[in-house]
Amino acid sequence: MAGAGARLYRGLEGLFAVYKPPGTSWNVVRDTVETNLLKGMNSAPPPAPRLQVRFLPASSALPDGSKELTLTAVRVPVLADHPLVTGPQFRGVKVGAGHRLDVPSSGVLVLGVGRGNRLLTELYNCHLSRDYTLHGQFGRATEDFSPTGRLIERTTYGHITRDKLEKVLAVIQGTHQRALLTYSGVDLQTQEAYDLAVKGLLRPMDKSPPLITGLRCLSYDPPDFTLEVQCLNETQKYLRKLVHEVGLELRSAAVCCGVRRTRDGPFTLQHALPHQRWTLAHVTQAVREAAGAVRDTLDREGA
């Protein structure tokens, strides 16, 4: 790689976030971004071709009417360097994805380019929490906890108040916080455990089940409700099941109508590029703007 294209690629190496719409697979999003980046880089002016010396024949008339053949040295471009011969400057760019989102979910999806893929691994090893908003609806239960799944039960929900809902959420959060202390591997009686808990830096040492570090109700308009969740090691299927379990605890049933990730580590919805901005220029700017926050996060978490 040389020239303007190489400079563009170096400016891309890092992390950025895009907004994954619902109904689209994460790998389709990644492939679309990758295609757009390749188009942008290959539209840059190609490097100047090499020059070679060629001896070109020429004839000139002599006074006696005869012709003299001479060779003239000229510098001409190497045809092997012509774009029609070499093809595109870039034939591939490595774009990796961080914590993935399943097809029905939407929200922040972190991607890495080039050496940025190593940063994805470092962020993963930090066990950073992620934020979601979950949209639920009381009154029915389905086989896969989603509104499109096979209906298995209908229930009443008139007895559910916001106060009762918030009490159930507090119990669930308390249970998970005690589990987080267990999986963090620190002595619960030490000052270290207290300091980490106050700063919100308790992390599971190894693989652990999904852990809820924060859970609250954002809105309640029966039968609809919206929850905000901070969690670790989650899957979107687990979060749908969480909504189902909230319904059971309230002696009713509930389905999860929407899962949206609003934060993944240092990346929030504010940083997530919408589909119209999955271009070389916008991604380059996003990588540059995110570099400081990523570096600070890795330093703070001790990666």
Side-chain angles (χ1 to χ4, degrees):
M1 283 181 272
R7 289 193 296 272
L8 289 173
Y9 183 80
R10 286 194 294 271
L12 276 176
E13 292 193 303
L15 299 181
F16 63 101
V18 298
Y19 187 89
K20 188 193 92 63
T24 304
S25 173
W26 68 268
N27 54 342
V28 171
V29 171
R30 181 201 59 191
D31 293 347
T32 302
V33 171
E34 183 176 297
T35 299
N36 291 349
L37 295 181
L38 279 174
K39 287 181 179 178
M41 289 189 293
N42 284 322
S43 66
R50 295 171 295 167
L51 297 177
Q52 64 180 357
V53 176
R54 298 284 300 273
F55 292 92
L56 301 181
S59 61
S60 59
L62 297 176
D64 60 2
S66 61
K67 292 184 179 181
E68 181 183 31
L69 182 63
T70 60
L71 294 177
T72 304
V74 296
R75 293 169 65 86
V76 296
V78 177
L79 292 180
D81 292 345
H82 194 282
L84 293 179
V85 177
T86 60
Q89 294 184 70
F90 297 88
R91 293 179 174 83
V93 56
K94 186 177 181 181
V95 178
H99 293 91
R100 298 165 184 176
L101 288 165
D102 62 14
V103 172
S105 304
S106 63
V108 179
L109 177 67
V110 180
L111 302 176
V113 180
R115 288 194 294 266
N117 287 280
R118 186 182 69 248
L119 297 176
L120 284 176
T121 301
E122 293 180 13
L123 285 179
Y124 175 83
N125 293 334
C126 288
H127 301 286
L128 300 175
S129 64
R130 285 165 292 282
D131 294 356
Y132 292 83
T133 55
L134 308 179
H135 301 283
Q137 188 177 77
F138 289 119
R140 56 184 172 135
T142 62
E143 199 170 47
D144 62 358
F145 318 122
S146 76
T148 58
R150 186 174 68 86
L151 183 68
I152 59 177
E153 184 182 15
R154 286 193 180 275
T155 61
T156 60
Y157 53 85
H159 62 284
I160 301 175
T161 63
R162 179 161 185 159
D163 184 59
K164 290 180 178 179
L165 173 58
E166 290 178 340
K167 286 180 180 178
V168 166
L169 299 182
V171 170
I172 294 174
Q173 180 176 340
T175 300
H176 280 262
Q177 286 180 334
R178 289 190 291 273
L180 176 59
L181 288 170
T182 301
Y183 285 104
S184 64
V186 297
D187 187 346
L188 305 185
Q189 306 302 319
T190 62
Q191 183 66 31
E192 177 192 14
Y194 175 79
D195 292 340
L196 290 174
V198 169
K199 296 177 182 178
L201 295 178
L202 280 175
R203 302 286 186 269
M205 294 298 293
D206 299 305
K207 286 189 175 181
S208 72
L211 296 170
I212 304 297
T213 59
L215 182 61
R216 69 189 184 103
C217 177
L218 295 179
S219 65
Y220 182 48
D221 183 17
D224 301 301
F225 61 97
T226 303
L227 307 180
E228 181 182 68
V229 186
Q230 291 87 43
C231 47
L232 297 159
N233 299 336
E234 80 294 339
T235 64
Q236 289 77 59
K237 183 177 180 179
Y238 171 80
L239 294 174
R240 295 185 188 95
K241 184 180 178 182
L242 175 66
V243 171
H244 170 75
E245 291 175 347
V246 168
L248 294 180
E249 291 294 330
L250 289 164
R251 302 193 179 207
S252 183
V255 294
C256 182
C257 300
V259 175
R260 184 170 76 149
R261 183 189 288 161
T262 58
R263 182 183 63 83
D264 187 348
F267 294 94
T268 66
L269 287 174
Q270 180 181 355
H271 305 111
L273 300 175
H275 183 269
Q276 298 83 354
R277 302 183 70 188
W278 296 354
T279 63
L280 177 64
H282 287 110
V283 169
T284 302
Q285 180 181 356
V287 168
R288 184 170 59 249
E289 292 175 350
V294 171
R295 184 170 55 251
D296 292 344
T297 299
L298 292 175
D299 291 342
R300 184 175 65 252
E301 299 293 334

